[in-house]
Structure formats: C-alpha cells, structure tokens
Amino acid sequence: MRPESEQHSLLDDVLAEAAPAHFERALLNGTLRSVRRRRRMRQCSRGLAAVGVFAATALAVWNALLPTTPVKLFRPGLHIVSSQPLPASMVVGTKPGSVVIVTSSPTTFVLVETGAVKDPFQEINDEQLLALAGERPVALVRQGPHQAELLFLNPEDKNGFPLR
C-alpha cells in the first residue's frame, strides 16, 4: 500500500484541477452531516427498541402480579313452563254476517267538481256603488286617484241597511 501522505497528495492534485478551492471543505461537511444523521437515527432506533422492550416487560410483569379473579360460568337453572287451555269465557270469536257492508251507487252520492275561478268578485264603478245605496244619503270622498271612501250621512246606516 501507498503511504497516507501520498494518497492525500494524489487526491489533492485531482481535486485541485477539477473543483474550486472551497469544494473540498463543502464535500467534507456534507459527508460529516450524513454520518452524524445516520448515527442519530441508529441511536433513536436503539432507544425506541429499548423503550418497547421495557414496556413489554412491564406489561408482562404487571399482568403476572395482578390477582385475577377467575371467571365463573353461570348457567341459569332450567325453568319449566306449563300451559293450560283458556276458559271458554276468555275466547273471542266472530260470527258470519255480523258486519254490515255498505255499498254505494251512482244515485246515492253527488259528484262535485271544482275548478279555478279567475275572479270571484265583480268590481263596480262609482255610479253602481251609489246606485246600491238607493235613496239613502251617502257621499263618496276621493283621497287620491285610486282611493275613495264611502260615507253614510245617517248614523243609523253605518251598521247596515236592507237593500230593495
């Protein structure tokens, strides 16, 4: 084998030609970081394995030391069921012809048809409204173009009056 200094000088010559001056230092730092990370992972794995073994051991010891009560199988006793016939007064029965059947025919009912009514009220004008009052004294007071009030001049007519 070659002496150590000779290997380093060869490596220095190769790296000096192909890479910048700080490349060797960056390469060494990256390698060291990778080695440290692997070592930390191995240590964490060993620690987790140790914790797992400890937990399993503790669980096994705990289960072994705890007094457990044996589970008693309980079988219910047999219950004998006896039956007897019902007395005749408790039996329910039906008789044929005791129900009245109701039948309908076209002569016993009326068919009612409904339909949509467009306007069930008929709108009247002012003259028709005044004509309904007949000879009773009334006044039609306008408060706007589409609003009017019908006034009864006799106080007795306010509660209503018969039409002729």
Side-chain angles (χ1 to χ4, degrees):
M1 280 193 110
R2 296 183 181 161
E4 181 116 2
S5 64
E6 198 175 305
Q7 286 179 350
H8 281 297
S9 66
L10 180 60
L11 184 60
D12 289 340
D13 289 342
V14 169
L15 290 176
E17 293 174 5
H22 66 279
F23 176 71
E24 184 178 351
R25 186 73 184 149
L27 184 62
L28 182 61
N29 287 339
T31 304
L32 289 175
R33 216 178 8 247
S34 175
V35 168
R36 288 180 189 129
R37 188 177 327 123
R38 284 184 194 165
R39 185 175 23 168
R40 277 193 306 264
M41 291 301 289
R42 271 195 311 268
Q43 289 173 346
C44 285
S45 296
R46 286 181 190 152
L48 286 175
V51 167
V53 168
F54 177 74
T57 304
L59 185 63
V61 168
W62 185 28
N63 282 338
L65 294 179
L66 278 179
T68 58
T69 57
V71 177
K72 293 181 182 179
L73 294 176
F74 177 73
R75 292 187 181 179
L78 297 176
H79 297 287
I80 298 175
V81 177
S82 61
S83 64
Q84 56 187 353
L86 286 174
S89 62
M90 294 183 74
V91 176
V92 177
T94 59
K95 296 177 186 172
S98 62
V99 177
V100 178
I101 298 175
V102 177
T103 59
S104 61
S105 65
T107 59
T108 60
F109 69 91
V110 176
L111 182 63
V112 177
E113 292 185 26
T114 60
V117 177
K118 293 182 180 176
D119 190 10
F121 302 103
Q122 180 182 1
E123 194 171 314
I124 59 174
N125 60 19
D126 295 343
E127 288 82 23
Q128 292 170 332
L129 178 63
L130 293 174
L132 283 176
E135 300 201 6
R136 302 199 185 282
V138 293
L140 188 61
V141 179
R142 292 224 171 258
Q143 296 174 353
H146 300 291
Q147 189 174 4
E149 182 178 359
L150 182 66
L151 297 177
F152 295 99
L153 301 179
N154 285 341
E156 305 89 43
D157 294 340
K158 288 185 181 177
N159 295 329
F161 54 88
L163 291 177
R164 292 187 195 107

